[in-house]
Amino acid sequence: MSARVLIVDDLFPNVKLLETKLALEYFDTLAAMNGPDAIAICEKGLCDIVLLDVMMPGMDGFEVCRTLKNNPLTAHLPVVMVTALDQPSDRLKGLDAGADDFLTKPVDDTALFSRVRSLVRLKAVTDELRSRALASRDFGMGDPLALATAETGLNANILLVEDRRGAAERMAAALTQQHTVTIEADPNRAILTAAEGGFDLVLVSLDLENFDGLRLCSQLRSLDRTRTVPLIMLAEAHDRARVARGLDFGVHDYLMRPVDRNELVARVRTQIRRKRFSEVLRGAVQASMEAAVTDGLTGLHNRRYLDNHLGSMFSDARLSDRPVAGLLLDIDRFKSINDTWGHEAGDEVLRTFAERVRLHTRTIDIVARYGGEEVVIILPDAGLGEAQVIAERIRERIEATPFSIQRASRTIPVTVSIGVAVRQATDTGPADMLKRADVALYRAKDSGRNRVEAQAA
Amino acid sequence: MSARVLIVDDLFPNVKLLETKLALEYFDTLAAMNGPDAIAICEKGLCDIVLLDVMMPGMDGFEVCRTLKNNPLTAHLPVVMVTALDQPSDRLKGLDAGADDFLTKPVDDTALFSRVRSLVRLKAVTDELRSRALASRDFGMGDPLALATAETGLNANILLVEDRRGAAERMAAALTQQHTVTIEADPNRAILTAAEGGFDLVLVSLDLENFDGLRLCSQLRSLDRTRTVPLIMLAEAHDRARVARGLDFGVHDYLMRPVDRNELVARVRTQIRRKRFSEVLRGAVQASMEAAVTDGLTGLHNRRYLDNHLGSMFSDARLSDRPVAGLLLDIDRFKSINDTWGHEAGDEVLRTFAERVRLHTRTIDIVARYGGEEVVIILPDAGLGEAQVIAERIRERIEATPFSIQRASRTIPVTVSIGVAVRQATDTGPADMLKRADVALYRAKDSGRNRVEAQAA
């Protein structure tokens, strides 16, 4: 994946050097000579990844990184910190600030390209999700990005695939303060454990006895149930080639042995945050799609849902010559409830009404708010007799217990009138059936309300 | 990106050979010995890419490919056809069937891995989108996958970056039967042309004079405005290394010179279909999110949208000490319109009412359907006097022209009563303001309807 790489360094020769290297590999580059400029470029969405020098006058690299990672607009950008020396303390400070990885000057080309490519590829997969979630924010469905950015990355469920007992226990001890850790010493069982366990992250040793840890990583990245779970490889220093290969096929990160306890904790947390960031966004998109077919007040389906489903349900019934019934329910004298007790009380009545109706319908039935105080119920496979029994039960359950309003400070009696109709062979569509239910409903109202009336036979 | 590769071949040794090669590169493999088995595996979603032998007894590779590409469940899977000889006619038949690429036996390893990796990476980016679109189908928002699969890939807007005049004209001639082609001979201008032109596909020569076509490809893949546009490289046979490099950073496909006219047409069409497939899915997700905050009948915003936005609009106004006005509109005697002319006429009145209201409000105002025949308008920065003027204008525009109902066969007079209120310093939230608007609305109804009343000063 090609990408726009932002190089942040206060020294022009350093910028030039990285620019040249990246351009030869067909990356596009931008440069910023200080922190505030870099942040402005990121906020404008002009780059895909940031190579960030640590030592800069004014705002240093750690501060720039922290700012980027705490801003919902830029938190998704991968940040690679470039440090002058391989200082463990710098790495930790960077990881604490939310950095995704490190490069040590002088920058090794292979490490640079493999890391940048891998981070950009992982980003590309979530970019689509992020832009949908951004749209849901524009439609006023809350701000999922802010929520996602606030995720702390703690209390995760971690699987550690490691057959060296001492190493496994040391790592588990470091992680159990913040997370729950399961150790799996048998790599042959690991794929099943991972698929069934609902883990937030898997750590895989590349030095397992008689087993290629990289193969396990590849399987985890391939299986539906585990492919979005972040993977971290544990590797010996001489094993850089296999690490690069793993990054190339989608492993998220790695740790070199001997594993530094603090670095382990920090990298695990970064990956957990990244995963949950995606999950929050995915949830937000899902929720706004569910909202599209749900009535906000009652939680019942709305008319849009009914219109979308009723047609196909009706023609399925016609093709297989099976019955369908439609119930039209209308709360009696609802306007006077509103006028006497106020709109809020009217809303309370509607919500309670919806709850009781839902209790007496099945999952396969469609229950939808049709208009102000009208609800439609569609019963697949129900004939007229059965539908009347269900309607009568609902009518009775509404009348039996008065509705509490004004936060349970008062109860009022509520009744419902119901019209029942079933599909007829001559119907050209569901509208015909609903019209008969409507006629029956009017008859119920005319005959004194609190009644069930069925279509004329 | 690791992936599950389905190998389809009726000869066991061929399957074994490909399995071994792919396993060494950490791909997961599955095998099918005939077409129907292959299709079943794909339909169950068990693989990410298909390597498909052409010559099989029973259902041949072309038929398998066509079946996969015409099924909404499997149309997104990349298919690479494996042919015994490099037969141009086989390639064309494959492309016609919708194949994404070809490999010739004996399979060259570099070509195999670079192609499989590139196709799997492109797929990974759209997988997220596809799964959201699938969810929108489950919620009953139509079937975007079926729509997307039906896309024919014709009538596209194509940019051809090529400085050899003869070659450019030959290719343009082949494509203009189905598409519109713009030739850009100056590679330095091509990036601007591409960014501004709204192209569906860009063809880039890798043999431009004094210019690296691969660099142009990389820039096109990096820029926001062009990164989702499919790219096809045009390369000389000796240039396979650069082709592989392009595929690695995200170029979608390539053609070897001398360009076969039919292969050109077929590959262009495959890429256009792929792009539009994504666009249809993206549009479906977007539409279902828009639907979540839109009233289905009138197209106005719904109460959910109002609730999501009003709070922050109100507190912004409080912080900056600026006015906000709220109008509550209620159609007069709406129930009698319904009772006299029927529900459908009532719906027509609501729609026309919403249209007229929208005409007299600004983009920054919120106009939302509040209940059955009630509409709320929120006017940022409007004081009581201004809000009254706007309310009076709307009242007048509703009364002035009778509403046509029953498909314009009849017109009826409609009037509206409006209550107006503005934010006060003592308000704890927007509900206080809306309550005053409600009181004013009741006063308007009490005083004979078809009136604007404002809150007491």
Side-chain angles (χ1 to χ4, degrees), chain A residues 38 73 107 152 169 171 249 256 282 292 300 371 416 440:
Chain A
L73 281 177
V107 174
T152 55
E169 280 170 3
M171 285 190 279
F249 70 65
M256 286 298 172
R282 200 173 288 124
L300 297 180
V416 63

Side-chain angles (χ1 to χ4, degrees), chain B residues 210-244:
Chain B
N210 304 321
F211 196 92
D212 182 354
L214 214 45
R215 165 105 27 231
L216 177 59
C217 291
S218 137
Q219 288 169 337
L220 290 168
R221 286 292 285 154
S222 298
L223 287 177
D224 267 345
R225 301 184 73 168
T226 54
R227 70 189 336 174
T228 62
V229 178
L231 293 180
I232 300 181
M233 303 173 280
L234 307 163
E236 296 288 351
H238 60 76
D239 220 6
R240 294 211 168 259
R242 282 168 82 224
V243 166

Side-chain angles (χ1 to χ4, degrees), chain A residues 1-4 22-28 44-46 48 117 121-129 131-133 135-142 212 214-224 227-228 242 245 247-250 282-296 302-305 308-309 335 338-339 343-344 347 372 374 435 438 442, chain B residues 1-4 22-28 44-46 48 117 121-129 131-133 135-142 212 214-224 227-228 242 245 247-250 282-296 302-305 308-309 335 338-339 343-344 347 372 374 435 438 442:
Chain A
M1 205 66 60
S2 188
R4 297 159 303 176
L22 288 163
L24 283 173
E25 286 292 307
Y26 295 101
F27 288 103
D28 269 11
K44 283 186 198 134
L46 299 176
D48 298 301
R117 275 204 199 93
R121 274 173 202 146
L122 292 170
K123 172 174 177 286
V125 173
T126 50
D127 273 358
E128 185 70 48
L129 189 59
S131 79
R132 292 312 102 203
S136 89
R137 191 186 58 169
D138 293 345
F139 298 138
M141 306 290 298
D212 183 355
L214 214 47
R215 164 103 30 231
L216 177 60
C217 290
S218 138
Q219 288 169 338
L220 289 169
R221 286 294 283 155
S222 297
L223 287 177
D224 268 344
R227 73 191 332 175
T228 62
R242 283 168 81 223
R245 208 148 173 187
L247 291 176
D248 191 48
F249 70 65
R282 200 173 288 124
V285 173
Q286 188 84 358
S288 66
M289 292 197 298
E290 280 174 20
V293 291
T294 306
D295 174 56
N302 59 17
R303 195 159 171 168
R304 185 182 288 128
Y305 183 90
N308 286 334
H309 277 85
K335 194 169 154 35
N338 266 327
D339 290 349
H343 273 294
E344 278 170 37
D347 287 354
E374 276 192 341
K435 196 148 254 172
D438 200 31
Y442 267 74
Chain B
M1 204 65 60
S2 187
R4 295 157 305 175
L22 287 163
L24 281 172
E25 287 291 308
Y26 295 102
F27 288 103
D28 269 11
K44 285 188 196 132
L46 298 176
D48 299 302
R117 275 206 198 92
R121 273 175 203 144
L122 291 170
K123 174 176 175 286
V125 174
T126 50
D127 272 357
E128 183 71 47
L129 189 59
S131 77
R132 293 311 99 203
S136 90
R137 189 185 60 170
D138 293 343
F139 299 137
M141 305 293 296
D212 182 354
L214 214 45
R215 165 105 27 231
L216 177 59
C217 291
S218 137
Q219 288 169 337
L220 290 168
R221 286 292 285 154
S222 298
L223 287 177
D224 267 345
R227 70 189 336 174
T228 62
R242 282 168 82 224
R245 207 149 174 183
L247 291 176
D248 191 49
F249 71 64
R282 200 173 287 124
V285 173
Q286 188 85 358
S288 67
M289 293 199 296
E290 281 174 18
V293 292
T294 306
D295 174 58
N302 59 16
R303 197 157 169 171
R304 186 182 286 128
Y305 183 88
N308 286 335
H309 276 84
K335 193 168 155 38
N338 267 326
D339 291 347
H343 274 294
E344 277 172 38
D347 286 354
E374 276 192 339
K435 196 146 255 172
D438 200 31
Y442 267 74

Side-chain angles (χ1 to χ4, degrees), chain A residues 187-209:
Chain A
N188 291 300
R189 281 220 313 262
I191 190 87
L192 289 174
T193 314
E196 284 163 16
F199 292 100
D200 298 303
L201 180 131
V202 183
L203 288 152
V204 179
S205 164
L206 296 191
D207 318 296
L208 299 163
E209 233 181 280

Side-chain angles (χ1 to χ4, degrees), chain B residues 154-299:
Chain B
L154 301 178
N155 300 315
N157 200 4
I158 296 173
L159 178 65
L160 169 56
V161 185
E162 168 69 276
D163 55 9
R164 303 186 205 171
R165 194 158 160 192
E169 279 170 3
R170 269 193 306 281
M171 286 189 276
L175 291 168
T176 39
Q177 285 169 26
Q178 302 185 332
H179 311 281
T180 309
V181 181
T182 306
I183 298 173
E184 176 59 81
D186 179 354
N188 292 300
R189 280 220 314 261
I191 189 88
L192 288 174
T193 315
E196 283 162 17
F199 291 100
D200 297 303
L201 180 131
V202 183
L203 288 152
V204 179
S205 164
L206 296 192
D207 318 295
L208 299 163
E209 232 180 280
N210 304 321
F211 196 92
D212 182 354
L214 214 45
R215 165 105 27 231
L216 177 59
C217 291
S218 137
Q219 288 169 337
L220 290 168
R221 286 292 285 154
S222 298
L223 287 177
D224 267 345
R225 301 184 73 168
T226 54
R227 70 189 336 174
T228 62
V229 178
L231 293 180
I232 300 181
M233 303 173 280
L234 307 163
E236 296 288 351
H238 60 76
D239 220 6
R240 294 211 168 259
R242 282 168 82 224
V243 166
R245 207 149 174 183
L247 291 176
D248 191 49
F249 71 64
V251 176
H252 303 75
D253 204 352
Y254 60 93
L255 282 156
M256 286 297 172
R257 301 187 196 263
V259 171
D260 177 272
R261 180 192 173 90
N262 293 312
E263 186 174 344
L264 169 69
V265 169
R267 287 198 186 262
V268 161
R269 202 169 153 191
T270 298
Q271 289 304 323
I272 305 278
R273 282 187 73 178
R274 194 195 53 72
K275 176 190 181 233
R276 292 189 180 155
F277 188 85
S278 297
E279 283 171 352
V280 171
L281 298 189
R282 200 173 287 124
V285 173
Q286 188 85 358
S288 67
M289 293 199 296
E290 281 174 18
V293 292
T294 306
D295 174 58
L297 178 65
T298 60

Side-chain angles (χ1 to χ4, degrees), chain A residues 13 52-53 58 69 84-85 88 99 113 122 139 230 234 244 280 310 313 318 327-328 336 380 384 390 400 422:
Chain A
L52 181 58
D53 186 36
K69 289 296 180 178
L85 282 165
F113 301 139
L122 292 170
F139 298 138
L234 307 164
V280 171
L310 189 52
M313 192 184 252
R318 182 159 44 203
L327 274 52
L328 205 55
S336 89
L384 193 59
I390 292 168
V422 287

